[in-house]
Amino acid sequence: MRSRHFVRTAVLAAVAVLATACGSPATPVDLAPVSDAAWPQPANVGGPDDSAGGDTDTSCDPLKSLAPTSGTTIGTGTTMAAIRGRGKLIAGVDQTTYLFGFRNPKSGNLEGFDIDMVNQIAAAIFGQAEGHVQFRAIPSLQREQVLVDHQVDVVVRTYSITCDRRKQVQFSSVYYVAGQKILVPKTSNATSLADFSGKKVCATKKSTSLTKIATDPAKPVAVSVDNWSDCLVMLQQGQVAAVSTDDTILAGMAAQDPTVKVVGDPLTQENYGIGVPKDQEDMVRFVNGVLDQVRSSGAWAASYQNWVGSRLGPAQPPSPQYR
């Protein structure tokens, strides 16, 4: 009996020593203390140096495009004939801007006002758009480069027409007019950029919106990202105080997140055009012929009402200006 008692006592003592070495249940050992759990930033976050889309160059009349010469007739040897022979219209678009260019999570298809414009061009070339469009999702900072490099036939991506951009690419007539506003949390009382002196305001790289933020007299801190969805995430996480860009883009963000709101009067007027490679004047005239039909047939009004009307109110297609 005494021997058994001695062994039992020894075993219990050993267990107690091991338990003590592992730490008391009441005082757990903290092997990895965390003092800062900041949200990770999106890739390629920058600053005002990424502002290269501004409209400070007034050396041209940016809104005057090339007049259509033969409607949507496709002649032999034209750019449009080459596209028809290829079987696909290649279009640079957005896939992250709700209402204008976004991927429907249910169908996987790209949808939105800009996507409707691409489909109208494809239908004019091929007779129907289905099966004849190759969408290429691009960030805003690549819009000029993919046209310069002839990687796409058109860019339809909330693309504001400016004299500076016209030095590198051609533009169609204006197919949509937007205005730069501000997106803030619903708890914010801010209504203009003047309320963000020294505070971070987000926009995409090489956008006219970023230029406006970076040059505003109130001196907000311009934060640049690749895509507008990155701005919304940074606002939601408190990494920026506001997002500022076209009301069309902000309306899509507000529709996705009920905790934010669009505020203020328009800071600028943004005239959207369809980008075309610089050396393809025949394609510019063809696209303008398509846009003339889109305006007069009611297709523009139907697309606007479907995507934007309930959020931004009534609107009419802008009248084209030709040189």
Side-chain angles (χ1 to χ4, degrees):
M1 292 292 294
R2 185 174 300 175
S3 176
R4 290 179 180 178
H5 177 74
F6 175 79
V7 171
R8 182 171 179 270
T9 302
V11 170
L12 291 174
V15 171
V17 170
L18 289 173
T20 302
C22 292
S24 169
T27 57
V29 177
D30 189 354
L31 298 179
V34 177
S35 59
D36 184 7
W39 291 101
Q41 289 189 336
N44 304 319
V45 174
D49 290 344
D50 294 309
S51 173
D55 56 358
T56 55
D57 183 354
T58 58
S59 61
C60 74
D61 186 343
L63 306 189
K64 287 188 175 181
S65 186
L66 299 172
T69 53
S70 55
T72 55
T73 301
I74 297 177
T76 303
T78 62
T79 301
M80 297 75 71
I83 294 171
R84 179 185 283 173
R86 182 206 300 149
K88 298 279 187 181
L89 173 73
I90 305 174
V93 298
D94 194 359
Q95 65 173 357
T96 64
T97 299
Y98 186 54
L99 305 181
F100 265 70
F102 69 101
R103 193 169 295 280
N104 186 317
K106 293 182 180 179
S107 66
N109 296 328
L110 286 168
E111 298 179 359
F113 187 88
D114 278 349
I115 305 303
D116 286 352
M117 298 300 109
V118 173
N119 288 333
Q120 290 286 340
I121 299 170
I125 296 174
F126 299 101
Q128 64 176 24
E130 187 174 357
H132 293 290
V133 181
Q134 179 181 329
F135 291 109
R136 177 170 178 179
I138 57 172
S140 60
L141 76 166
Q142 290 183 1
R143 289 177 295 194
E144 283 86 46
Q145 198 59 51
V146 294
L147 290 169
V148 170
D149 294 341
H150 289 85
Q151 296 177 16
V152 299
D153 300 311
V154 292
V155 166
V156 190
R157 196 191 185 288
T158 57
Y159 199 6
S160 297
I161 305 171
T162 68
C163 292
D164 186 63
R165 289 171 174 167
R166 277 195 175 277
K167 296 173 184 176
Q168 300 184 72
V169 303
Q170 297 266 12
F171 279 101
S172 72
S173 59
V174 178
Y175 71 92
Y176 192 93
V177 178
Q180 183 175 351
K181 292 188 177 181
I182 302 169
L183 187 79
V184 295
K186 282 188 174 177
T187 54
S188 173
N189 294 321
T191 59
S192 71
L193 284 179
D195 297 316
F196 294 97
S197 178
K199 297 180 181 179
K200 294 180 179 179
V201 180
C202 188
T204 58
K205 299 176 188 293
K206 296 186 181 296
S207 65
T208 55
S209 303
L210 186 66
T211 299
K212 175 61 179 173
I213 297 166
T215 58
D216 191 84
K219 295 185 177 181
V221 179
V223 175
S224 65
V225 293
D226 287 344
N227 295 295
W228 288 114
S229 56
D230 295 332
C231 277
L232 178 58
V233 170
M234 293 186 78
L235 179 65
Q236 291 167 333
Q237 296 178 350
Q239 298 185 56
V240 297
V243 179
S244 185
T245 187
D246 306 348
D247 53 3
T248 50
I249 299 171
L250 298 182
M253 294 183 185
Q256 292 175 288
D257 185 347
T259 69
V260 298
K261 61 183 178 180
V262 182
V263 299
D265 296 325
L267 306 173
T268 62
Q269 179 174 304
E270 303 298 330
N271 301 285
Y272 293 169
I274 294 172
V276 178
K278 187 77 170 177
D279 58 350
Q280 294 180 354
E281 290 191 0
D282 60 343
M283 186 64 175
V284 179
R285 296 183 188 278
F286 179 83
V287 168
N288 282 338
V290 174
L291 291 177
D292 280 352
Q293 292 183 359
V294 168
R295 295 183 187 98
S296 62
S297 68
W300 189 98
S303 181
Y304 178 86
Q305 190 55 39
N306 183 39
W307 296 112
V308 190
S310 63
R311 295 173 175 87
L312 296 180
Q316 296 294 322
S319 299
Q321 299 180 43
Y322 298 127
R323 61 178 186 269

